[in-house]
Amino acid sequence: MIISIDGAAGTGKTTVGKIVANKLNYQFLDSGKIYRAYTLKMIKNNIFDTKNIIGQLSSTKIKYIYKNNKEILDLDGIDVSNNLHSDLVDKHVSEVSRIPEIRLKMTNLQRNIVKKNFIVVGRDIGSVVLPNAELKIFLTASIKERAKRRFNERKNENLDEIENSIKKRDLIDSTRKVAPLTIPEKAFVIDTENKNIDTVCKEIIKMAK
Ligand code: DC
Protein backbone atom coordinates (compact mmCIF):
# COMPACT_ATOMS: atom_id res chain seq x y z
CA MET A 1 0.00 0.00 0.00
CA ILE A 2 1.08 3.59 -0.63
CA ILE A 3 0.11 6.21 1.96
CA SER A 4 0.38 9.91 1.16
CA ILE A 5 0.52 12.55 3.88
CA ASP A 6 0.23 16.12 2.64
CA GLY A 7 0.02 19.40 4.52
CA ALA A 8 1.64 22.77 5.11
CA ALA A 9 4.85 23.41 7.06
CA GLY A 10 4.62 22.46 10.71
CA THR A 11 1.55 20.24 10.48
CA GLY A 12 3.65 17.29 11.64
CA LYS A 13 3.82 15.34 8.37
CA THR A 14 7.42 14.23 8.69
CA THR A 15 7.36 13.33 12.39
CA VAL A 16 4.09 11.44 12.05
CA GLY A 17 5.03 9.86 8.70
CA LYS A 18 8.28 8.44 10.06
CA ILE A 19 6.68 6.96 13.17
CA VAL A 20 3.86 5.38 11.17
CA ALA A 21 6.34 4.02 8.60
CA ASN A 22 8.35 2.49 11.40
CA LYS A 23 5.30 0.90 13.03
CA LEU A 24 3.99 -0.53 9.74
CA ASN A 25 7.46 -1.51 8.56
CA TYR A 26 7.13 0.74 5.52
CA GLN A 27 9.70 2.77 3.61
CA PHE A 28 9.53 6.54 4.03
CA LEU A 29 10.05 9.46 1.66
CA ASP A 30 10.02 13.13 2.64
CA SER A 31 9.62 14.84 -0.73
CA GLY A 32 10.34 18.26 0.79
CA LYS A 33 13.95 17.18 1.33
CA ILE A 34 14.39 16.74 -2.42
CA TYR A 35 13.24 20.32 -3.08
CA ARG A 36 15.40 21.49 -0.21
CA ALA A 37 18.50 19.75 -1.62
CA TYR A 38 18.06 21.42 -5.02
CA THR A 39 17.48 24.78 -3.31
CA LEU A 40 20.66 24.29 -1.26
CA LYS A 41 22.62 23.97 -4.49
CA MET A 42 21.12 27.23 -5.80
CA ILE A 43 22.06 29.02 -2.57
CA LYS A 44 25.63 27.66 -2.66
CA ASN A 45 26.05 28.78 -6.28
CA ASN A 46 24.23 32.07 -5.79
CA ILE A 47 21.66 31.27 -8.45
CA PHE A 48 18.31 32.94 -7.89
CA ASP A 49 16.83 33.64 -11.31
CA THR A 50 14.39 31.19 -12.88
CA LYS A 51 16.32 30.64 -16.11
CA ASN A 52 19.53 29.68 -14.35
CA ILE A 53 17.71 27.64 -11.70
CA ILE A 54 16.25 25.55 -14.54
CA GLY A 55 19.65 25.53 -16.25
CA GLN A 56 21.18 23.56 -13.37
CA LEU A 57 18.75 20.65 -13.71
CA SER A 58 20.74 18.62 -16.25
CA SER A 59 23.95 18.74 -14.21
CA THR A 60 22.35 17.98 -10.82
CA LYS A 61 22.14 14.48 -9.36
CA ILE A 62 19.97 13.95 -6.29
CA LYS A 63 19.83 10.53 -4.66
CA TYR A 64 17.58 9.53 -1.79
CA ILE A 65 18.35 6.61 0.48
CA TYR A 66 16.25 5.45 3.45
CA LYS A 67 18.12 3.13 5.76
CA ASN A 68 17.67 2.22 9.44
CA ASN A 69 14.92 4.83 9.78
CA LYS A 70 17.26 7.56 8.54
CA GLU A 71 16.98 9.58 5.34
CA ILE A 72 20.11 10.35 3.39
CA LEU A 73 20.08 13.05 0.71
CA ASP A 74 22.98 12.88 -1.68
CA LEU A 75 23.48 16.01 -3.79
CA ASP A 76 26.06 15.62 -6.58
CA GLY A 77 27.91 12.97 -4.56
CA ILE A 78 27.85 14.81 -1.23
CA ASP A 79 25.69 13.90 1.77
CA VAL A 80 23.72 17.09 2.52
CA SER A 81 21.18 15.47 4.87
CA ASN A 82 22.10 17.75 7.76
CA ASN A 83 22.08 21.01 5.80
CA LEU A 84 18.52 21.07 4.56
CA HIS A 85 16.69 22.84 7.38
CA SER A 86 18.46 26.17 7.68
CA ASP A 87 16.43 29.39 7.62
CA LEU A 88 18.15 30.27 4.34
CA VAL A 89 16.82 27.10 2.69
CA ASP A 90 13.40 27.82 4.25
CA LYS A 91 13.56 31.29 2.72
CA HIS A 92 14.24 30.17 -0.86
CA VAL A 93 12.72 26.70 -1.19
CA SER A 94 9.20 27.76 -2.18
CA GLU A 95 10.47 30.08 -4.94
CA VAL A 96 12.54 27.25 -6.38
CA SER A 97 9.83 24.61 -6.08
CA ARG A 98 7.12 26.72 -7.71
CA ILE A 99 8.97 26.46 -11.08
CA PRO A 100 7.16 23.89 -13.30
CA GLU A 101 10.38 22.48 -14.85
CA ILE A 102 11.82 21.84 -11.39
CA ARG A 103 8.60 20.13 -10.27
CA LEU A 104 8.52 17.89 -13.32
CA LYS A 105 12.01 16.56 -12.65
CA MET A 106 11.47 16.17 -8.89
CA THR A 107 8.09 14.49 -9.41
CA ASN A 108 9.70 11.90 -11.72
CA LEU A 109 12.48 11.37 -9.21
CA GLN A 110 9.92 10.72 -6.44
CA ARG A 111 7.93 8.32 -8.61
CA ASN A 112 11.10 6.35 -9.30
CA ILE A 113 11.94 6.09 -5.60
CA VAL A 114 8.50 4.97 -4.44
CA LYS A 115 7.80 1.25 -4.83
CA LYS A 116 5.31 -0.71 -2.71
CA ASN A 117 4.72 -0.14 1.01
CA PHE A 118 5.78 3.48 1.17
CA ILE A 119 4.70 6.49 3.18
CA VAL A 120 5.35 9.68 1.25
CA VAL A 121 4.96 13.16 2.72
CA GLY A 122 4.78 16.51 0.94
CA ARG A 123 2.45 19.09 -0.57
CA ASP A 124 1.22 17.42 -3.78
CA ILE A 125 1.70 13.70 -3.14
CA GLY A 126 -1.93 12.55 -3.03
CA SER A 127 -3.00 15.07 -5.68
CA VAL A 128 -0.23 14.87 -8.31
CA VAL A 129 2.80 12.69 -7.54
CA LEU A 130 0.94 9.53 -6.46
CA PRO A 131 -2.77 10.06 -7.18
CA ASN A 132 -3.38 6.29 -6.90
CA ALA A 133 -2.19 6.14 -3.28
CA GLU A 134 -4.50 3.78 -1.38
CA LEU A 135 -4.70 6.00 1.70
CA LYS A 136 -4.46 9.80 1.52
CA ILE A 137 -4.07 11.95 4.61
CA PHE A 138 -4.09 15.74 4.82
CA LEU A 139 -2.86 17.34 8.05
CA THR A 140 -3.82 20.83 9.21
CA ALA A 141 -3.10 23.16 12.16
CA SER A 142 -3.33 26.92 12.68
CA ILE A 143 -0.40 29.16 11.70
CA LYS A 144 0.21 30.05 15.38
CA GLU A 145 0.44 26.40 16.39
CA ARG A 146 2.70 25.51 13.45
CA ALA A 147 5.05 28.41 14.18
CA LYS A 148 5.21 27.35 17.83
CA ARG A 149 6.16 23.80 16.81
CA ARG A 150 8.95 25.04 14.53
CA PHE A 151 10.18 27.34 17.28
CA ASN A 152 10.36 24.44 19.73
CA GLU A 153 12.28 22.40 17.15
CA ARG A 154 14.85 25.04 16.29
CA LYS A 155 14.99 27.26 19.38
CA ASN A 156 17.58 29.63 17.90
CA GLU A 157 15.09 31.58 15.81
CA ASN A 158 12.55 34.25 16.65
CA LEU A 159 8.88 33.13 16.89
CA ASP A 160 7.51 36.07 14.86
CA GLU A 161 10.10 35.54 12.13
CA ILE A 162 9.23 31.85 11.94
CA GLU A 163 5.54 32.71 11.68
CA ASN A 164 6.19 35.20 8.86
CA SER A 165 8.45 32.78 7.02
CA ILE A 166 5.81 30.01 7.21
CA LYS A 167 3.08 32.44 6.05
CA LYS A 168 5.15 33.40 3.00
CA ARG A 169 5.79 29.76 2.17
CA ASP A 170 2.12 28.84 2.65
CA LEU A 171 1.13 31.56 0.21
CA ILE A 172 3.60 30.56 -2.53
CA ASP A 173 3.01 26.80 -2.04
CA SER A 174 -0.77 27.10 -2.20
CA THR A 175 -1.05 29.61 -5.06
CA ARG A 176 1.55 28.27 -7.52
CA LYS A 177 0.25 27.25 -10.96
CA VAL A 178 1.54 23.66 -10.93
CA ALA A 179 0.67 21.21 -8.15
CA PRO A 180 -0.32 23.70 -5.43
CA LEU A 181 -0.80 22.61 -1.83
CA THR A 182 -4.38 21.36 -1.75
CA ILE A 183 -6.52 18.69 -0.10
CA PRO A 184 -6.39 15.73 -2.50
CA GLU A 185 -9.60 14.05 -3.59
CA LYS A 186 -10.59 11.26 -1.18
CA ALA A 187 -8.11 12.46 1.45
CA PHE A 188 -8.90 12.18 5.16
CA VAL A 189 -8.30 15.53 6.85
CA ILE A 190 -6.86 15.40 10.36
CA ASP A 191 -6.75 18.65 12.34
CA THR A 192 -3.64 18.23 14.50
CA GLU A 193 -4.12 21.50 16.43
CA ASN A 194 -4.89 19.95 19.81
CA LYS A 195 -3.67 16.43 19.19
CA ASN A 196 -0.36 14.99 20.21
CA ILE A 197 1.82 13.07 17.78
CA ASP A 198 0.89 9.71 19.25
CA THR A 199 -2.85 10.31 18.73
CA VAL A 200 -2.37 11.37 15.09
CA CYS A 201 -0.17 8.31 14.41
CA LYS A 202 -2.74 5.98 15.95
CA GLU A 203 -5.52 7.47 13.80
CA ILE A 204 -3.50 6.94 10.62
CA ILE A 205 -2.47 3.38 11.57
CA LYS A 206 -6.12 2.53 12.28
CA MET A 207 -7.14 3.84 8.86
CA ALA A 208 -4.28 1.99 7.18
CA LYS A 209 -5.35 -1.25 8.81
O1 DC B 1 7.85 19.86 3.85
P1 DC B 1 8.97 20.91 3.80
O2 DC B 1 8.69 22.09 4.67
O3 DC B 1 10.31 20.33 4.06
O4 DC B 1 8.97 21.43 2.28
C1 DC B 1 9.82 22.44 1.85
C2 DC B 1 9.29 23.11 0.61
O5 DC B 1 9.42 22.24 -0.51
C3 DC B 1 7.83 23.54 0.64
O6 DC B 1 7.67 24.82 1.22
C4 DC B 1 7.45 23.51 -0.81
C5 DC B 1 8.32 22.44 -1.38
N1 DC B 1 7.64 21.15 -1.56
C6 DC B 1 6.84 21.02 -2.66
O7 DC B 1 6.71 21.97 -3.42
N2 DC B 1 6.25 19.83 -2.92
C7 DC B 1 6.39 18.79 -2.10
N3 DC B 1 5.80 17.62 -2.39
C8 DC B 1 7.17 18.92 -0.93
C9 DC B 1 7.77 20.12 -0.68
Side-chain angles (χ1 to χ4, degrees):
M1 183 161 75
I2 305 283
I3 303 175
S4 66
I5 307 180
D6 289 298
T11 49
K13 305 179 298 287
T14 308
T15 311
V16 164
K18 264 190 178 171
I19 295 172
V20 175
N22 198 8
K23 291 243 161 84
L24 295 177
N25 209 7
Y26 273 34
Q27 297 285 302
F28 175 75
L29 170 62
D30 178 358
S31 60
K33 290 222 164 110
I34 291 176
Y35 289 98
R36 286 175 178 275
Y38 196 79
T39 303
L40 183 67
K41 179 163 175 172
M42 300 307 111
I43 293 168
K44 280 187 175 161
N45 294 330
N46 238 325
I47 296 172
F48 297 110
D49 66 289
T50 304
K51 193 167 161 252
N52 283 319
I53 292 174
I54 296 169
Q56 294 291 309
L57 273 175
S58 56
S59 60
T60 304
K61 293 234 167 344
I62 296 175
K63 273 196 224 147
Y64 179 90
I65 302 145
Y66 187 64
K67 226 170 137 182
N68 302 330
N69 299 326
K70 271 188 87 177
E71 307 148 86
I72 298 164
L73 252 293
D74 182 297
L75 172 68
D76 296 330
I78 295 165
D79 181 354
V80 294
S81 316
N82 294 324
N83 308 335
L84 301 175
H85 287 275
S86 65
D87 49 350
L88 207 53
V89 174
D90 276 2
K91 191 169 163 223
H92 293 286
V93 67
S94 288
E95 286 293 349
V96 172
S97 49
R98 82 195 300 186
I99 302 169
E101 287 83 351
I102 304 298
R103 301 206 68 78
L104 182 66
K105 173 122 181 208
M106 303 309 159
T107 296
N108 286 336
L109 178 64
Q110 290 160 48
R111 287 180 180 150
N112 285 333
I113 294 168
V114 177
K115 305 281 181 308
K116 58 176 186 175
N117 291 352
F118 249 92
I119 295 196
V120 189
V121 308
R123 302 282 187 295
D124 61 341
I125 305 305
S127 57
V128 173
V129 180
L130 303 163
N132 295 327
E134 281 83 1
L135 175 61
K136 299 181 187 183
I137 307 288
F138 191 87
L139 300 183
T140 63
S142 69
I143 176 72
K144 290 262 177 252
E145 173 65 22
R146 294 187 283 127
K148 213 168 73 192
R149 290 176 190 171
R150 271 291 130 85
F151 178 71
N152 288 335
E153 251 169 45
R154 299 201 183 164
K155 303 279 188 208
N156 59 337
E157 291 169 40
N158 170 293
L159 185 60
D160 289 336
E161 277 171 22
I162 293 179
E163 189 175 321
N164 284 332
S165 159
I166 293 181
K167 269 188 193 158
K168 273 189 202 149
R169 246 180 340 124
D170 279 359
L171 183 69
I172 302 174
D173 293 348
S174 55
T175 57
R176 68 185 173 218
K177 285 216 179 80
V178 176
L181 170 68
T182 180
I183 303 176
E185 248 179 70
K186 296 191 186 151
F188 294 94
V189 178
I190 302 178
D191 181 1
T192 69
E193 183 85 11
N194 295 309
K195 283 182 184 159
N196 63 29
I197 289 161
D198 191 46
T199 307
V200 179
C201 291
K202 281 189 177 138
E203 281 184 33
I204 297 175
I205 290 170
K206 202 170 152 199
M207 285 188 229
K209 285 189 170 156

